[in-house]
Amino acid sequence: MTTNRRFLLVRRPNGAPVAEDFALRGEPLADPPAGSFYVRNHFASLDPAQRGWMDDAPSYMPPIKLGDPVRATTVGRVHSSANPEFKPGDWVLGLNAIEEYSLVAPGGFTSKIDVSGVPSPSLFLSGFGAVGLTAYFGLLEAGRPRAGETVLVSGAAGAVGSMVGQIAKIQGCRTIGIAGGAAKCRRLTERYRYDAAIDYRGKSVQQLSAEIARHAPGGVNIIFENVGGDILDAGLMNLADKARIVLCGLISEYNSASGKVGARNLWQLIVKQASLIGFLIRDYVPRFAEGGAQLAQWMSQGRLTLDEQIEAGIENAYPAFMKLFTGGNDGKLILRIGP
């Protein structure tokens, strides 16, 4: 009988997750019920949003139930099927979990993908998946960039941030990236074509604000925010008139045991008549094919550089996940589960 190893949430984290909040357990794999099928997961996406799903708090998705596997977008192949539309061997992309086999019920959010034209199926979790599409639609639709404008990106060396900066350059914008450490800042300018890079480490809000002002003396037209906290506060002090802030993530807040800090300089939205919009990629699901085609074209033209960091083994799910919060990853963080 086939055993399914699953990375379970067994306790709600208080602050930064610890290993004891999770358990890796094996369960026998039953036959799929009528209309369902099992996916043998090969790759699972590791994303900051997963930390929010671990809390018992209102969000755009329900919390992960204790005893359930950690929710994740995965790429894999159909293992066994009682659904005539999905046959064993089909490659699929879907919202499943960090487990070796995921049961997809009728109507589940899983679709077939064609991996024949890509170097690795993992690209459907990075460049052609939610990461690339978040950068694409988040900047172009929510940010509405115009040539000549200045775009400030926090978490700029991360999976989404690195692509936002490059797409902004394609649109004719000036780009400023904020990242942690000299090595990541070098990667921003040398690999991702940012015009300027700012190392936030060891800097106060006032120091960060002054450095942003030095690179953007006329103010920032678009902030693509992935971090929040002090970094967002520094950006808010450098807004141009009618600036747009795209709120994509607040990773600095996710592991706070004392509660959310929030932004203290929101009054600048009034001063600069700026707008702030929360962005979720789910609104653009009907347009994924459009966005994916454009991203693929830019990649084939050498206009987009994409980096992945693939960690191996479901047994390493916890240390791999924690790299999101320590800055220990270079590129889109992915867990290889399958062969």
Side-chain angles (χ1 to χ4, degrees):
M1 180 174 288
T2 302
T3 299
N4 183 17
R5 290 187 299 168
R6 315 176 82 200
F7 182 61
L8 308 179
L9 180 70
V10 296
R11 185 175 69 181
R12 303 267 177 221
N14 180 25
V18 297
E20 290 74 20
D21 296 330
F22 309 95
L24 183 63
R25 294 176 183 160
E27 301 175 1
L29 196 69
D31 292 331
S36 302
F37 60 93
Y38 276 106
V39 177
R40 175 57 164 112
N41 294 313
H42 284 229
F43 298 97
S45 182
L46 300 178
D47 301 293
Q50 290 162 308
R51 175 60 186 87
W53 301 337
M54 296 174 189
D55 292 333
D56 189 10
S59 185
Y60 60 93
M61 292 194 71
I64 301 168
K65 295 179 181 178
L66 294 181
D68 279 0
V70 174
R71 186 184 300 131
T73 304
T74 70
V75 166
R77 304 185 79 173
V78 175
H79 170 73
S80 55
S81 178
N83 184 326
E85 295 183 12
F86 292 88
K87 298 183 173 12
D90 287 345
W91 281 96
V92 292
L93 168 71
L95 184 59
N96 295 306
I98 301 178
E99 55 189 353
E100 291 179 314
Y101 299 88
S102 290
L103 179 65
V104 180
F109 182 59
T110 297
S111 57
K112 295 180 186 179
I113 55 175
D114 181 4
V115 304
S116 61
V118 297
S120 169
S122 63
L123 284 168
F124 284 88
L125 298 177
S126 52
F128 307 139
V131 167
L133 294 167
T134 294
Y136 180 85
F137 289 113
L139 178 66
L140 299 185
E141 297 291 332
R144 308 183 312 278
R146 295 183 288 270
E149 290 190 320
T150 297
V151 178
L152 175 70
V153 184
S154 64
V160 172
S162 61
M163 295 195 74
V164 170
Q166 294 177 81
I167 295 171
K169 289 297 291 181
I170 291 172
Q171 301 303 307
C173 297
R174 172 173 169 76
T175 54
I176 304 168
I178 301 177
K184 287 191 174 182
C185 285
R186 280 195 304 272
R187 198 161 76 247
L188 289 185
T189 55
E190 295 173 2
R191 188 161 177 80
Y192 303 138
R193 306 180 186 93
Y194 272 86
D195 293 294
I198 297 173
D199 186 353
Y200 71 83
R201 290 185 178 173
K203 293 185 175 74
S204 66
V205 172
Q206 292 75 21
Q207 289 170 322
L208 275 173
S209 179
E211 195 158 350
I212 294 169
R214 181 167 64 85
H215 291 295
V220 173
N221 303 103
I222 299 172
I223 294 178
F224 197 99
E225 188 59 50
N226 296 303
V227 177
D230 288 350
I231 291 177
L232 175 57
D233 269 336
L236 290 171
M237 295 306 297
N238 288 276
L239 298 177
D241 288 337
K242 306 293 178 65
R244 290 87 72 197
I245 300 101
V246 181
L247 198 59
C248 183
L250 296 169
I251 194 171
S252 70
E253 307 264 339
Y254 294 163
N255 288 326
S256 174
S258 58
K260 303 295 188 285
V261 175
R264 289 150 293 195
N265 290 328
L266 286 175
W267 58 281
Q268 284 294 307
L269 298 178
I270 303 170
V271 173
K272 299 297 184 179
Q273 294 181 281
S275 60
L276 184 151
I277 182 169
F279 176 80
L280 287 176
I281 188 60
R282 69 181 183 188
D283 289 350
Y284 296 90
V285 170
R287 296 177 60 189
F288 275 11
E290 167 202 335
Q294 181 61 80
L295 291 168
Q297 181 182 5
W298 284 337
M299 287 181 190
S300 68
Q301 295 170 343
R303 304 177 76 184
L304 275 182
T305 297
L306 174 68
D307 290 321
E308 294 181 336
Q309 179 169 332
I310 298 179
E311 301 288 316
I314 193 171
E315 64 276 6
N316 294 316
Y318 169 71
F321 177 67
M322 291 307 295
K323 290 185 178 184
L324 290 168
F325 306 99
T326 62
N329 61 299
D330 293 324
K332 174 69 187 85
L333 194 57
I334 295 171
L335 184 69
R336 182 192 290 273
I337 298 177

